[in-house]
Amino acid sequence: MAVNTSINNQVVDGKNSIDYEVIIIGAGFGGVRMIYDLQKRGISARVFEAGSNVGGTWYWNRYPGARTDSESWVYVLTFLEELGVQWRWNERFPTQPEVERYVNRLVDELDLRKHMSFNTRIIAAHRDETNNVWKVTTSNGSTYTCTFLVTATGPLATPLKPPFPGLDLFKGEWYQTGLWPKHKVDFAGKRVAVVGTGATAVQVIPIVAHTAKSLTVFQRTPNYVLPARNHPLTDDQVAELQRDGKTVIHRARTSSFGMDIPDSSLRLTDTTEAEALRVLEYGWEIGGFRFIFQTFADMLTNQDCNDLAGEFVRNKIRSIVRDKDTADLLCPNYPILSKRPPLGHYYYEAFNRDNVKLVDVKNNPITEITPTGLKTSTTEYDFDLIIFAIGFDAVTGTLAQIDLRGSEGQDLSMQLDEHMATAYGIMVENFPNLFMISGPQAPFANIPVIIDNTADWIGRTISHMRDRGYTKISTKKEVGREWRDKVHAAFNATVLPPGAKETKSWYIGANVEGKRVEPLFWFGGVAPYFEECEKELTGGFPGFEFSRDSQREAVRKDNVKESKL
Ligand code: NAP
């Protein structure tokens, strides 16, 4: 007789068994990677997704110009070669439709859609400690039970609502980039406003500029916009990438930020000033984040090096933007990477167009939306269409949308707000059997590479439990405390904290009124992070505790007995 490999044999609320061993929240890259891993291990699982299809970020953020800021060949899930490194991308930085197609193709080829429920938002998940289950409630009122819960909700999935009074009376069209409609939005002949100049706005602006009658950009804080230098991938380039596929992924997994960018070993003090400028020029020309990671090893830790890079970018802005006042307004003046730098696709060049105007709202904020446009504290403007690209309540914001309660009814958001301490961004004290993909204090890096590792870690952990008859995993208090200390130490070892605070950077939560300001990410590098996670798996999980519950243990013993007969 076959061994029952399930760990969910029990009676809960009068039902003979729980509904799923694992419930996964979200069908973006994280949810897709996780469900694949679990079904491969023979573990019953279901994904619940608020949208009508897979894709997560790449489902919701379908604004014009949306594309990755990671190079396509590492913006893949690497668990299956033919659907990862062997994927044929068209461009260095693929567009939103191309990434969305990739996720859909993955799901179809692996036949994963049958494990997913769409148009179903999870609104609550409560821990029932007596029965060792999670009780999950959906927006349409259904409830399900599961042994393990995985949040794959994405780090940037809760767009901030436009906070301006009067929006409901605006007679024109308005859109939010993070909730962009599926239908085509026409800008031709319209007076358009874009509020915000973060990574999203930087992608939208040059596209809208081409067709709008006029485009007015409302900027509060300028960014260091690095040229992407996007290009189509030739067949030869693709062939080379595919041939070296495994090496490419190895390089990404061992680089600081999960990209196929070799970390520089050059320090500013190793160079003369002329050489240093040549190195930065190379970084600027080669494009993307290579300007930061492939130039100087100490750009984020040495103020002089960071200052030099900042001045270099300001000089570039002044050399591109013809109007001196506009160029001055576009020049940031804080350490580079204190805010996540956007990649530009002819962003600064857009301000040389006659139909594009920049308005500084730093000291002259937008006060209200009027029926015909918007008002700052000094001026009134008329628009036909307004685009809000004002950012996200990052990482914890999306978890806070779910009423997540722990062993003794603890509220996850309150707990994290009072004391953000996680085990490697994956688990939290008081919340047994809850795993997070891209959780708080996970690495600041190219996200698919982190997702691959975390989903693999969760799958292996659940397998480890199943093989030993464990039904519950909890984090030890110390592991959260230690990881928190490391996360803070890694961030404080850089020159970034004062600038991140001053410029209200989202990666420390400073862009959201009332949110506690502290690093939401691990800045200590991908490879050391993977080592920490692997040490747990191979070292007998020193940071965690496992237990069995007696009812399930009896079933397991019976199964083992039967299998011996
Ligand atoms: P963001 O970087 O937080 O930018 C939001 C922008 O809106 C900022 O310029 C902000 O000004 C402005 N803003 C917010 N409230 C405002 C107000 N009341 N009045 C005027 N301006 C206001 O958000 P995002 O552009 O959506 O990007 C967030 C992150 O998403 C990025 O950093 C990136 O990690 C990710 N992203 C990735 C890609 C990609 O990989 N391709 C593309 C887009 C986004 P302040 O700076 O002064 O707060």
Side-chain angles (χ1 to χ4, degrees):
M1 180 156 193
V3 184
N4 183 347
T5 53
S6 164
I7 49 178
N8 71 354
N9 294 286
Q10 67 174 127
V11 178
V12 179
D13 291 349
K15 289 189 201 170
N16 275 337
S17 76
I18 56 171
D19 296 301
Y20 305 102
E21 285 180 15
V22 186
I23 283 181
I24 301 162
I25 310 178
F29 269 63
V32 168
R33 176 63 177 84
M34 192 72 250
I35 189 74
Y36 171 76
D37 194 282
L38 294 171
Q39 60 90 35
K40 193 184 64 180
R41 291 172 195 277
I43 295 168
S44 85
R46 187 141 200 98
V47 179
F48 290 93
E49 165 58 51
S52 64
N53 203 346
V54 295
T57 285
W58 302 101
Y59 170 88
W60 298 103
N61 287 264
R62 48 185 74 245
Y63 57 84
R67 58 172 77 239
T68 70
D69 281 353
S70 298
E71 288 161 336
S72 51
W73 50 94
V74 286
Y75 206 81
V76 287
L77 295 170
T78 59
F79 58 97
L80 280 181
E81 233 188 290
E82 65 277 21
L83 294 171
V85 287
Q86 298 302 323
W87 190 258
R88 206 298 178 202
W89 293 101
N90 292 320
E91 293 179 71
R92 178 179 178 185
F93 298 102
T95 60
Q96 175 272 332
E98 201 181 353
V99 182
E100 195 183 23
R101 269 199 305 279
Y102 167 70
V103 188
N104 274 278
R105 179 79 184 278
L106 206 64
V107 167
D108 290 334
E109 294 238 339
L110 300 172
D111 197 17
L112 298 174
R113 225 174 269 281
K114 63 185 181 214
H115 303 294
M116 299 179 175
S117 299
F118 295 101
N119 302 307
T120 314
R121 185 176 286 278
I122 302 296
I123 56 167
H126 293 185
R127 176 100 187 124
D128 169 354
E129 207 54 59
T130 314
N131 291 303
N132 186 32
V133 293
W134 281 97
K135 290 185 174 173
V136 174
T137 308
T138 72
S139 49
N140 49 30
S142 306
T143 58
Y144 301 94
T145 51
C146 57
T147 308
F148 301 99
L149 182 64
V150 179
T151 58
T153 42
L156 293 155
T158 300
L160 295 176
K161 290 199 175 82
F164 313 105
L167 185 56
D168 48 336
L169 301 176
F170 181 56
K171 289 192 199 130
E173 300 162 67
W174 67 269
Y175 302 94
Q176 236 183 306
T177 45
L179 297 169
W180 199 265
K182 287 182 182 161
H183 65 78
K184 185 174 180 322
V185 176
D186 191 6
F187 306 107
K190 293 181 184 157
R191 297 162 302 168
V192 179
V194 171
V195 181
T197 52
T200 301
V202 161
Q203 292 184 333
V204 171
I205 285 164
I207 305 284
V208 176
H210 279 291
T211 48
K213 180 177 174 197
S214 67
L215 171 61
T216 310
V217 176
F218 291 87
Q219 171 188 276
R220 200 163 59 181
T221 312
N223 268 303
Y224 289 98
V225 181
L226 307 172
R229 312 269 183 234
N230 185 38
H231 56 78
L233 293 177
T234 63
D235 288 343
D236 288 344
Q237 285 168 327
V238 170
E240 187 182 338
L241 283 163
Q242 290 178 339
R243 207 172 40 245
D244 295 347
K246 283 194 174 133
T247 320
V248 169
I249 293 304
H250 177 73
R251 283 201 298 260
R253 286 181 59 86
T254 48
S255 76
S256 292
F257 290 85
M259 299 186 177
D260 179 23
I261 300 180
D263 289 324
S264 173
S265 55
L266 187 70
R267 299 186 164 269
L268 182 64
T269 47
D270 300 334
T271 60
T272 62
E273 198 180 328
E275 282 164 353
L277 292 176
R278 273 204 301 277
V279 169
L280 291 173
E281 189 68 41
Y282 167 77
W284 183 261
E285 284 306 319
I286 198 166
F289 293 123
R290 288 169 192 267
F291 178 77
I292 297 179
F293 305 133
Q294 207 173 323
T295 52
F296 286 104
D298 53 347
M299 193 183 286
L300 306 183
T301 51
N302 173 355
Q303 193 65 58
D304 290 343
C305 185
N306 195 293
D307 288 347
L308 188 73
E311 186 57 17
F312 180 92
V313 177
R314 285 188 288 277
N315 285 333
K316 287 290 180 192
I317 297 170
R318 292 193 183 103
S319 74
I320 298 169
V321 179
R322 286 196 288 267
D323 179 70
K324 185 178 175 312
D325 292 343
T326 305
D328 285 347
L329 273 181
L330 286 167
C331 283
N333 207 353
Y334 50 81
I336 198 162
L337 209 90
S338 292
K339 278 171 109 61
R340 195 291 216 164
L343 296 195
H345 300 259
Y346 304 102
Y347 173 70
Y348 291 123
E349 289 80 352
F351 292 93
N352 288 334
R353 296 176 64 101
D354 291 340
N355 66 334
V356 179
K357 186 176 157 196
L358 183 66
V359 175
D360 174 24
V361 288
K362 178 91 187 158
N363 302 310
N364 177 25
I366 298 169
T367 51
E368 67 174 284
I369 307 296
T370 65
T372 54
L374 65 77
K375 257 188 195 168
T376 65
S377 44
T378 58
T379 317
E380 189 163 349
Y381 300 85
D382 285 344
F383 295 114
D384 304 306
L385 194 153
I386 304 177
I387 298 172
F388 297 101
I390 56 174
F392 297 86
D393 187 348
V395 189
T396 49
T398 309
L399 293 171
Q401 303 293 308
I402 307 164
D403 178 23
L404 262 160
R405 301 297 173 124
S407 304
E408 289 166 24
Q410 297 94 335
D411 179 307
L412 180 69
S413 292
M414 277 171 66
Q415 179 175 316
L416 291 174
D417 190 47
E418 278 161 21
H419 185 71
M420 188 175 294
T422 71
Y424 317 108
I426 303 176
M427 292 197 73
V428 203
E429 196 191 347
N430 300 323
F431 289 78
N433 291 2
L434 169 71
F435 298 105
M436 300 177 292
I437 297 179
S438 301
Q441 301 176 332
F444 193 73
N446 176 34
I447 293 172
V449 169
I450 305 303
I451 286 174
D452 256 334
N453 200 73
T454 308
D456 176 70
W457 193 94
I458 296 169
R460 285 162 72 191
T461 301
I462 295 177
S463 285
H464 169 94
M465 293 174 67
R466 184 177 60 181
D467 294 348
R468 289 159 184 77
Y470 293 130
T471 51
K472 180 167 146 183
I473 174 171
S474 318
T475 47
K476 289 184 188 158
K477 205 182 189 73
E478 311 85 81
V479 69
R481 210 181 298 135
E482 283 163 18
W483 186 242
R484 177 189 162 85
D485 288 349
K486 286 184 183 175
V487 164
H488 282 247
F491 188 54
N492 290 333
T494 69
V495 296
L496 309 178
K501 220 169 174 176
E502 184 201 316
T503 61
K504 299 190 186 302
S505 189
W506 61 260
Y507 68 60
I508 55 165
N511 65 326
V512 177
E513 196 67 41
K515 187 164 173 169
R516 182 183 289 275
V517 173
E518 64 176 305
L520 291 167
F521 292 88
W522 158 253
F523 276 78
V526 164
Y529 173 78
F530 288 169
E531 268 168 39
E532 294 266 3
C533 295
E534 197 60 28
K535 257 196 293 189
E536 289 288 345
L537 282 171
T538 53
F541 291 91
F544 298 86
E545 275 165 357
F546 294 98
S547 57
R548 301 182 170 93
D549 78 40
S550 50
Q551 190 184 5
R552 295 185 191 193
E553 178 62 358
V555 173
R556 193 180 77 92
K557 283 198 175 133
D558 279 352
N559 284 330
V560 172
K561 243 188 287 161
E562 280 172 14
S563 74
K564 284 184 182 153
L565 291 177

